[in-house]
Amino acid sequence: GYTSMLKIARLCFQLSLLLVCPLITVSVSHAAEPGSSEKTLLLVDDHHVLYRAGTRRVFHHANAYAENPVVREDQPWELAIAWSSIYRNPQTGLYQLWYQAYAGERDPRKTHRCVVCYAESEDGIHFTKPMLKLHDFKTDRKPWEGSFPETNIILLASGGYGDRYCNSVLYEPGETDPARRYKMLYYDFSPDENQQEWPGWHAAFSPDGIHWTKSSRNPLNQTAYGGRTLQPLFTEEDPYKEQWDKRKNFMRKQWLLPLSMSDAVDVFYDPKQKEYAVYGKCWLNGPDGGLAWKHAMARSSSKDFLSWSAPEIVCSPDDEDAANTEFHNSPVFFYNDCYFCLNQILRARGEAVGAKADLMHIELMISRDGIHWDRPCRELSFIPQQPFSSGGIFTNATPVFLQDSIRFYYGGYTSGAIGGGSKLTDASQQSGVGLATLPLDRFAGIRPIELSAQSTLKKPLKNIGQVTLKPLDLKDIQEITVNADARKGKIQVELLTAAGFRVPGFSKTDAKPLTGDSLTHPVGWKKQTLKDLPAGKYMLRLHLDHAEVFAVTLKN
C-alpha cells in the first residue's frame, strides 16, 4: 500500500544521508547524459537576445492543482497554516515538507502558539503527517480538548515577547558536518549575550530534517518591532523601549531600528555570489518620516549562515503601483542563470487610516544579478487564487524541479493576508499548503505579433517574427533543443556568423521545421550538422511562424 511504499522511500532517503553527495543546486534544469553538460537560455527577458523583430513577450502563470490544498488543517495545533519549505530527494523521490502551524491560545504555553510541523510524501500530492514523540500539545478547546504526546511538531518557539514566525529550510547534501545538512532560518524573540531580548532571525540545524537543534548564537541579528508612525531615533538613543499599556494591562515593548528587515525569512544559496542570501520584507519610513509605514524588498547575505550583513533595499513599490501597495515578502530562487522572485504583493482595502491590508497576489519578478529587479508582469497573478487561499498566498524559495515541470508549493488561508481577527477562528476558516505547476522553463515565451505592416516591408506579415540571439561559441556543442509550442505553425532555426552573415547549409530554408508542442524540439538542418561548423561564434536566429518559443538549450 501507499503507506508501506512511503516508509520504504523514507528509509532509503535516510540511508542516503549517510553519503556525502555533491552540492545540488536548482540551476540545473534537468538530467543530462553522463559526461555531458547543458546550458539553457531562458527567454524571460532579453538577456540572451541581440534583437528581435515582429514579436512580443508573453508571461504565463502556474496552474493550481484542482484538489488543493495538498496539506489541510486537521490537527489541534493547526488553527491556520501558512509559511512552508519543501525538498525532494532526487535519489528516492521523497518529498519533505516543513510548514508553519498557528495554534493561537489552544495550548496555553507561549512556546506552542506558532510551531513548525513536518509532513512527507512519495508523489508530492498525497502527504502524511508522521506522529513523533518530539513535542507534545495540550488543549482544553473543543473539539480538541486533551493531551497529545505525539505530534508532527518539530520546532517550538522560544516563548519570548512575540510569536515565532515562518520557517525557511535549505538542504545541502554536500555539507561536511552531517548534523548541519538541513539548515533553517526562522523569526523569534530571545535574549542576546547581554540577556537583552531581541527579535530577529534564528537558525536551527538538523541531520534529517526532523530532529532540530537551535543555534547557540541566536538571535543572529536584530530587527525592528513596533513603533509605527514614530520618528526615527537619534543616534545616541537606545532602540529598546518599554511602556506600560494601561488599557491592555501589560508592558508594551518596542525595538526601534531604522532600515530593518521584518518578521519573515526566505533563504537560499546564491551560486553566483557564493553565499547564503535572504530576501525579505524591509520597513520603509512613511510620508512624514514615521517608522513602519510599508514593506519593500531587501537582501542580506552570509558566508556561514550565522553572521548576516546589514540589509540592502533592492526593490520597492513605485509610481506604477497603486498607493496602497507593499511587498508582504519576496522569496527568491536561482535557476538557469536567472534570479526569480515570487513577490507577495499586498494591497489594503483602501487608503483610509487603519485600513486592513488583506488583498494579495503573487507577482513574478526577474533579475540577472540579484540586485536590480525587473517587474514585467505586474498584474498577472503567477499563482491563481483558490477558495482555500482567497485571503493570502505565502510563497517560498524552494520550487521543485522535475524532468518536465516545476512545482511551486505555497501556504494559503481565507482569513486575510495578515491573518488574525474573528475570521481566523471562524468555522468557515480554511488554510493549507497548495501546489501549482508550470511546464519546464515556460515562465515566459516570445511569439509573433498579429500584424507587422511597417513601410519598410514589401507586404504585411501576419504572425511572423524572428528572434536573433547574441553570438554563442558552439564549439563542442553536440545538440541544440528548443522549448516551444508550434502546434499552430512552425519554427525554423538558422545560423549567422557573429558579423550577421548567413552560414551556407544552416539557413532558414535548410532548417528542418519544428512543429508541435515540445520541451525539447531537436534543432537540425537537411544536409549539415553542428560538427560541420568551422570554429567561431554564431548567432542563432529563430524564425517564428504562428509559434511561441520559451528557451534554447545547448548540450555538449
Side-chain angles (χ1 to χ4, degrees), residues 222-498:
Q222 298 175 348
T223 63
Y225 191 86
R228 187 179 298 274
T229 74
L230 296 180
Q231 291 297 308
L233 299 178
F234 291 101
T235 54
E236 66 272 13
E237 288 188 86
D238 186 348
Y240 176 70
K241 304 291 183 182
E242 288 184 357
Q243 183 178 3
W244 182 256
D245 189 321
K246 295 180 180 179
R247 186 171 63 89
K248 294 187 176 181
N249 197 34
F250 84 108
M251 183 63 74
R252 186 177 297 277
K253 299 180 180 181
Q254 297 177 325
W255 291 265
L256 307 180
L257 293 174
L259 296 178
S260 164
M261 294 186 76
S262 189
D263 57 358
V265 181
D266 280 290
V267 64
F268 78 108
Y269 184 78
D270 187 334
K272 270 195 169 182
Q273 303 301 324
K274 295 181 173 56
E275 62 189 10
Y276 301 103
V278 162
Y279 290 83
K281 53 186 177 181
C282 177
W283 282 115
L284 299 178
N285 294 354
D288 61 353
L291 299 174
W293 176 50
K294 64 166 64 175
H295 289 116
M297 174 187 181
R299 182 185 189 274
S300 177
S301 62
S302 173
K303 296 293 185 182
D304 62 1
F305 206 79
L306 295 174
S307 300
W308 292 87
S309 65
E312 174 188 2
I313 295 176
V314 293
C315 191
S316 60
D318 58 28
D319 292 350
E320 295 185 37
D321 292 304
N324 60 348
T325 301
E326 63 177 303
F327 299 167
H328 185 255
N329 205 42
S330 309
V332 170
F333 62 92
F334 184 81
Y335 176 64
N336 279 331
D337 200 38
C338 189
Y339 297 85
F340 292 89
C341 175
L342 301 181
N343 201 12
Q344 300 167 20
I345 303 297
L346 188 61
R347 287 177 180 151
R349 297 172 191 164
E351 282 302 295
V353 174
K356 293 290 185 181
D358 63 353
L359 299 175
M360 183 161 66
H361 77 274
I362 304 305
E363 177 189 331
L364 181 70
M365 304 199 320
I366 295 165
S367 174
R368 288 292 173 170
D369 61 6
I371 303 298
H372 304 89
W373 288 88
D374 293 324
R375 301 176 60 192
C377 46
R378 297 185 185 222
E379 298 308 317
L380 174 68
S381 185
F382 183 71
I383 297 178
Q385 286 186 323
Q386 293 176 292
F388 88 99
S389 60
S390 59
I393 298 177
F394 304 88
T395 47
N396 56 47
T398 54
V400 175
F401 295 86
L402 302 178
Q403 189 74 17
D404 59 357
S405 64
I406 306 173
R407 289 184 171 185
F408 301 91
Y409 292 83
Y410 56 94
Y413 48 69
T414 59
S415 58
I418 57 174
S422 60
K423 290 183 179 181
L424 187 63
T425 55
D426 188 82
S428 64
Q429 156 74 16
Q430 297 181 50
S431 69
V433 176
L435 164 65
T437 61
L438 184 76
L440 191 70
D441 297 344
R442 294 194 173 185
F443 296 96
I446 297 175
R447 64 176 64 161
I449 61 175
E450 293 182 0
L451 179 67
S452 292
Q454 290 76 21
S455 60
T456 49
L457 295 172
K458 288 186 177 181
K459 63 178 182 179
L461 298 174
K462 295 183 178 181
N463 292 295
I464 298 294
Q466 61 92 357
V467 182
T468 301
L469 302 185
K470 295 175 182 178
L472 297 163
D473 187 353
L474 299 182
K475 180 182 179 182
D476 298 326
I477 299 299
Q478 303 296 314
E479 182 182 14
I480 300 174
T481 62
V482 174
N483 185 336
D485 183 355
R487 287 174 293 179
K488 296 181 180 180
K490 63 183 178 179
I491 297 177
Q492 292 163 286
V493 181
E494 72 177 345
L495 296 183
L496 288 75
T497 67

Side-chain angles (χ1 to χ4, degrees), residues 54 62 111 164 215 225-226 255 298:
T111 54
R164 187 218 63 80
S215 171
Y225 191 86
W255 291 265

Side-chain angles (χ1 to χ4, degrees), residues 10 13-18 87 89 94-98 118-120 132 134 154 169-171 177-183 205-213:
R10 183 177 174 188
F13 172 70
Q14 290 173 337
L15 289 174
S16 72
L17 292 176
L18 300 176
Y87 170 71
N89 184 283
L94 182 71
Y95 289 77
Q96 293 183 288
L97 173 70
W98 302 267
Y118 174 79
E120 55 190 25
L132 310 165
L134 298 177
I154 58 169
V169 176
L170 176 65
Y171 175 58
D177 183 353
R180 291 168 53 102
R181 292 208 177 129
Y182 291 82
K183 299 173 173 63
F205 302 97
S206 172
D208 56 8
I210 299 173
H211 302 86
W212 291 87
T213 302

Side-chain angles (χ1 to χ4, degrees), residues 80-219:
I81 291 174
W83 306 99
S84 65
S85 288
I86 196 161
Y87 170 71
R88 178 183 180 272
N89 184 283
Q91 282 76 40
T92 66
L94 182 71
Y95 289 77
Q96 293 183 288
L97 173 70
W98 302 267
Y99 63 95
Q100 171 180 297
Y102 176 71
E105 297 180 354
R106 284 182 175 177
D107 189 315
R109 292 170 290 183
K110 185 70 178 295
T111 54
H112 288 64
R113 279 179 56 88
C114 193
V115 298
V116 181
C117 296
Y118 174 79
E120 55 190 25
S121 171
E122 188 180 54
D123 60 6
I125 296 175
H126 303 91
F127 283 84
T128 62
K129 301 175 182 179
M131 293 296 108
L132 310 165
K133 295 182 179 180
L134 298 177
H135 304 288
D136 71 336
F137 193 82
K138 300 175 182 178
T139 182
D140 58 3
R141 302 295 180 92
K142 294 180 179 181
W144 300 104
E145 62 264 57
S147 178
F148 301 86
E150 295 184 5
T151 71
N152 69 328
I153 299 172
I154 58 169
L155 190 82
L156 298 177
S158 299
Y161 179 77
D163 289 338
R164 187 218 63 80
Y165 198 54
C166 73
N167 46 268
S168 183
V169 176
L170 176 65
Y171 175 58
E172 293 184 300
E175 168 64 60
T176 55
D177 183 353
R180 291 168 53 102
R181 292 208 177 129
Y182 291 82
K183 299 173 173 63
M184 181 193 297
L185 282 186
Y186 61 97
Y187 190 83
D188 206 348
F189 292 71
S190 63
D192 62 15
E193 64 275 9
N194 298 317
Q195 298 307 302
Q196 168 64 58
E197 184 178 39
W198 279 95
W201 303 345
H202 290 58
F205 302 97
S206 172
D208 56 8
I210 299 173
H211 302 86
W212 291 87
T213 302
K214 295 180 179 180
S215 171
S216 60
R217 291 177 56 177
N218 290 335

